[in-house]
Amino acid sequence: MTNRPGILFAVGATVAGLVTAAPSPATADTGAQRTAAELGWTDCGTKSYPTLQCSSISTPLDHDDPSGRQITLALSRIPHTSKTFQGPLLVNPGGPGGSGLSMAGFVASSLPKSVAAQYDVIGFDPRGVGASEPALDCVPKYFDPLRPDSVPDSLAAEKANRNRARSFAQACGEKYPDLLPYMDTVSAAKDLDVIRQATGSQQLNYFGYSYGTYLGAVYAKLFPERVRRLVLDSNVDPDGVWYDDNIGQNYAFDARHKAFAAWVAKHDTTYRLGSDPAKVEDAWYAMRAAVKANPAGGKVGASELEDTFLPGGYYNGYWPYLADAFAAYVNDHDQETLVKAYKKLGAVDAKADNGYSVYAAVQCRDTQWPRQWSTWRKDSWKVHGKARFSTWNNTWYNAPCADWPVEPLNPVQVSNDSLPPVLLFQATEDAATPYEGGATLHRKLRGSSLVVEQGGGNHGVTLSGNDCLDTYLADYLDKGTVPRGEGGRADADAVCTKSPDPQPLTGRAAAKAARGADSVNRGSILHGLLGFRG
């Protein structure tokens, strides 16, 4: 998604129990600083991150032909300042299709200063993304309103969406025939090793969110001896890439939408939409029917409404803003507030057009998708019957893969027993990467440690204000320590209490929101950076 400001009121739980020391396979060698300088870092500091530096690097389009055509990856860096130097820490916000250039500044400023100072924190735009060249944009303004209703009420409506998705795939193939065969996770993982080599470090530290966890796990499978420390937050289920994982998302996002309705019902005195969560949910679907018939402000129809409320499934810091728009529309027939929410949380700009193009290119290439449309239709109606919030929306989002013009690869089997201890984080109610993904990856990465946010529903949980989670993260990056067998869960090594849910916007906070001056904290910044739809 595009600009997604939000607010999260969070206090962390305290850390309890023992940690065990993980071996450090290598410390950064003295050559790292020498070679890093050869990248030609230049100052590109911002008000928020004044020490940020930028560079770029060439990488083979086809890693099997290293002397062939080269493409360019854009890099950013917050350089280390401590005498203790632990090498490069590459950070990735997910996607696929998410830009990582701002992640370097965010991660470096969010970690304890003494920890961040030991690393060159490096962000990057993966191949095809953002400032990297060439960047993909298959169909500019593909998501501009008004789109057809995602839930087809006739064969003609289904055909309209089907043709739309097919035309997107066709446009990608016609525009980028030379690039699409190399837009895949394995190629992106090999790019990581090109970056590692350019820094002069013998081993890589890596910190990835969402899809970035799969990218990190694939890198670790390809180059296990080059992994030093590996942090994976909100983990993709590697057994479900990508069709089954998306079906799992549909159920999980419906559950988070129900959690949002329950939160609105809990605050009935503020929103006046009823104290029964089921009736609040009914009111939301009545609003959906209303904007389908008469789009709010001529811009927000049924599909755009889903796009607007979908970010609430990623991050509950958006709930107060969404609830305000919901209540204003239902109680006061106020369309303007709903349109503002759409523009803030659901509308797609050129940056997000690029992100979606890369998302489709990578996921459609990574693995086989059903080629028979009857399979998509049958599965979508089956899931929609139990989870109607975003199932068909997600179907059309991924439907170009049914007609992708490049043959699929076989997915990487990421099981690995050759790694130093890996640190995983997972919220139990995460919608974008449901909990089973973290548990599965924990089993597949032998010796890994899983830290669970019990009851948490946000996607991307570290560096968001939960002190318990962040202490485990800092200890690992600082000393290589990981928890073992704490918290009482058989499937996890440590358990943290979830961050509290947000409160409605009242008083000064409501006035700031009305002016567009949203509260800024780590949670809202992180969830504005996380990759395109995770």
Side-chain angles (χ1 to χ4, degrees), residues 191-214:
D191 290 342
L192 298 184
D193 208 55
V194 172
I195 298 173
R196 177 199 62 79
Q197 293 176 59
T199 68
S201 181
Q202 295 180 1
Q203 291 187 306
L204 187 67
N205 306 289
Y206 177 87
F207 179 11
Y209 290 91
S210 191
Y211 164 79
T213 66
Y214 184 64

Side-chain angles (χ1 to χ4, degrees), residues 325-406:
F326 179 16
Y329 183 89
V330 173
N331 295 327
D332 304 320
H333 309 291
D334 177 357
Q335 297 188 21
E336 182 181 356
T337 303
L338 190 60
V339 172
K340 286 182 179 178
Y342 163 70
K343 290 179 178 179
K344 185 177 293 185
L345 297 175
V348 171
D349 58 12
K351 177 181 176 181
D353 277 338
N354 164 243
Y356 177 66
S357 295
V358 174
Y359 170 95
V362 172
Q363 292 215 345
C364 298
R365 174 65 167 153
D366 265 356
T367 186
Q368 180 71 55
W369 291 71
R371 301 298 280 192
Q372 296 295 322
W373 183 248
S374 59
T375 301
W376 294 71
R377 177 192 295 117
K378 174 177 65 69
D379 289 342
S380 296
W381 281 121
K382 177 182 177 182
V383 178
H384 176 84
K386 299 178 181 178
R388 58 177 172 158
F389 169 58
S390 63
T391 292
W392 273 104
N393 186 295
N394 201 25
T395 293
W396 300 122
Y397 197 82
N398 292 283
C401 293
D403 298 283
W404 202 245
V406 182

